[in-house]
Amino acid sequence: MSLPPVFGKELNMSQQLIDNFDRKFEYLRLSITDVCNFKCNYCLPDGYQRTHEKQFLSKQEITNLVNAFAELGAKKVRITGGEPALRKDFPKIIEAIATIPGIQKVATTTNGYNLSSHAQAWFDAGLDSINVSVDSLDAKTFHLITGKNIFQKVMQGVNASVKAGFKQVKINSVLMKGLNDIDIDLYINWIKDQPIQLRFIELMQTEDNGEFFNKHHLSGEWIKQNLLENGWTQKQSLSHDGPAQIFYHPDYLGEIGLIMPYSKDFCKSCNRLRVSSVGRLHLCLFGEEGVDLRDLLGTSADKEKLKQRIVESLKSKKVSHYLADGESGGTPHLASIGG
Ligand SMILES: Nc1nc2c(ncn2[C@@H]2O[C@H](COP(=O)(O)OP(=O)(O)OP(=O)(O)O)[C@@H](O)[C@H]2O)c(=O)[nH]1
Ligand SMILES: C[S@@+](CC[C@H](N)C(=O)[O-])C[C@H]1O[C@@H](n2cnc3c(N)ncnc32)[C@H](O)[C@@H]1O
Ligand code: SF4
Ligand code: SF4
């Protein structure tokens, strides 16, 4: 006996991305490769190590995956890596995701190595916003942190992105004691007349960077106090915004974001899920091996099964990452899962 249509509809309505703690997941972070051409000292200090041959998700698999997420209520997709721009079919992937019904925002996070020559093409392909990692505004320190002597080129990429027409260009800087902490004033002065959102990210401990973390971790709390004392005001965030607390100031064209994963209640507003470049669903940046989705990505005929597996998996999402207790839970570095 087939179910009456109205029953079927109600069943679909109940398929939403909500976990046991009433958190809603409208933001998908999708890694399309774990390969990277930089050697950031907090992430891949020895560069990318190819351990075995990997087949990254194809454009068709990505389309099937994002379609299922969109039907479950996802509105925003951030394409990450490794370095996502290393994939030759990156513009095609942007285009495929941008045309999926329900997806309102396609974003990416990049190290900016080829941004100066590609920003316009990505914008034209349907990319809405772009986050560029610039860990120092001093060329020498940039080289020291990333292993790449291309600070000027990355900054040309940032300018090209503003020119290309992106509504939002954000800069990520992982704040590190004794490395780039002296750049803070330089950064803040820079956004006085630049329409850029500058985000200071607290260094996170992963499986591989324990010693580095102990030496360089710096809390963002004192920057927050400093901003509030100097006329900056905190903004309200939207349901599919990232984890940054955003501040604005009447005298500055740019904004400042603080990402403080060690702050109290950081995970309370968790609104994102991750899928790795080989198709594993990760419920958290830290602490689990992921659920394999790949067997259901080859054909759109498996969409309902795929949605069911995602919704079922979400039931086991934990309330927090327990990062403050030193739990880095098997994540070797953030390039492995896309940050
Ligand atoms: N602990 C933790 N860190 C996160 C999470 N989401 C993003 N980050 C970190 O925040 C930093 C910036 O991430 P981005 O890739 O720029 O993304 P985002 O901050 O979500 O970006 P917007 O969507 O533009 O706000 C990176 O270091 C990420 O690893 C999260 O869910 N948990
Ligand atoms: C993993 S990278 C991937 C995208 C791209 N390769 C890039 O660097 O922008 C995404 C973001 O995670 C940040 N990140 C990487 N490792 C981190 C760590 N241990 N703590 C905090 N942020 C980290 C990077 O600075 C970057 O802004
Ligand atoms: S932070 Fe990004 S650019 Fe730097 S090594 Fe990791 S993946 Fe590569
Ligand atoms: S650490 Fe895990 S639970 Fe916390 S905000 Fe990030 S993904 Fe969500």
Side-chain angles (χ1 to χ4, degrees), residues 23 266-267 270 272 274 283-286 317 319-321:
R23 294 176 296 193
F266 180 78
C267 299
C270 185
R272 63 219 79 119
R274 292 171 169 80
L283 302 175
C284 178
L285 181 51
F286 297 98
K317 182 166 166 65
V319 69
S320 164
H321 53 32

Side-chain angles (χ1 to χ4, degrees), residues 247-289:
F247 300 82
Y248 63 93
H249 191 292
D251 300 338
Y252 290 74
L253 204 53
E255 295 176 327
I256 295 180
L258 297 179
I259 301 179
M260 302 193 289
Y262 293 91
S263 61
K264 194 174 167 287
D265 294 338
F266 180 78
C267 299
K268 255 193 178 164
S269 56
C270 185
N271 60 356
R272 63 219 79 119
L273 295 172
R274 292 171 169 80
V275 174
S276 76
S277 56
V278 290
R280 292 187 83 81
L281 169 68
H282 290 267
L283 302 175
C284 178
L285 181 51
F286 297 98
E288 29 87 18
E289 287 174 3

Side-chain angles (χ1 to χ4, degrees), residues 174-232:
V174 177
L175 204 58
M176 292 172 282
K177 190 161 53 185
L179 280 171
N180 60 0
D181 51 345
I182 49 165
D183 284 358
I184 293 178
D185 288 343
L186 210 59
Y187 274 113
I188 297 180
N189 281 335
W190 177 52
I191 59 158
K192 200 152 189 157
D193 35 43
Q194 292 286 337
I196 281 190
Q197 189 184 100
L198 166 66
R199 292 116 54 84
F200 295 118
I201 305 168
E202 261 185 43
L203 177 65
M204 287 178 258
Q205 182 173 5
T206 59
E207 283 293 284
D208 290 357
N209 75 1
E211 209 176 306
F212 184 92
F213 173 85
N214 288 334
K215 199 165 164 200
H216 297 291
H217 176 256
L218 196 59
S219 164
E221 200 54 52
W222 64 273
I223 304 184
K224 179 172 176 177
Q225 287 318 318
N226 219 283
L227 292 175
L228 293 173
E229 282 162 19
N230 285 287
W232 292 79

Side-chain angles (χ1 to χ4, degrees), residues 42 81-83 109-111 133 172 174 201-204 209 334-335:
Y42 53 84
E83 177 44 48
T109 305
T110 174
N111 63 28
S133 300
N172 286 343
V174 177
I201 305 168
E202 261 185 43
L203 177 65
M204 287 178 258
N209 75 1
L334 299 194

Side-chain angles (χ1 to χ4, degrees), residues 1-8:
M1 192 186 79
S2 64
L3 296 169
V6 63
F7 192 91

Side-chain angles (χ1 to χ4, degrees), residues 35-40 42-44 81-83 111 133 135 334-335:
V35 179
C36 190
N37 53 346
F38 276 30
K39 295 181 178 178
C40 299
Y42 53 84
C43 182
L44 294 175
E83 177 44 48
N111 63 28
S133 300
D135 286 320
L334 299 194

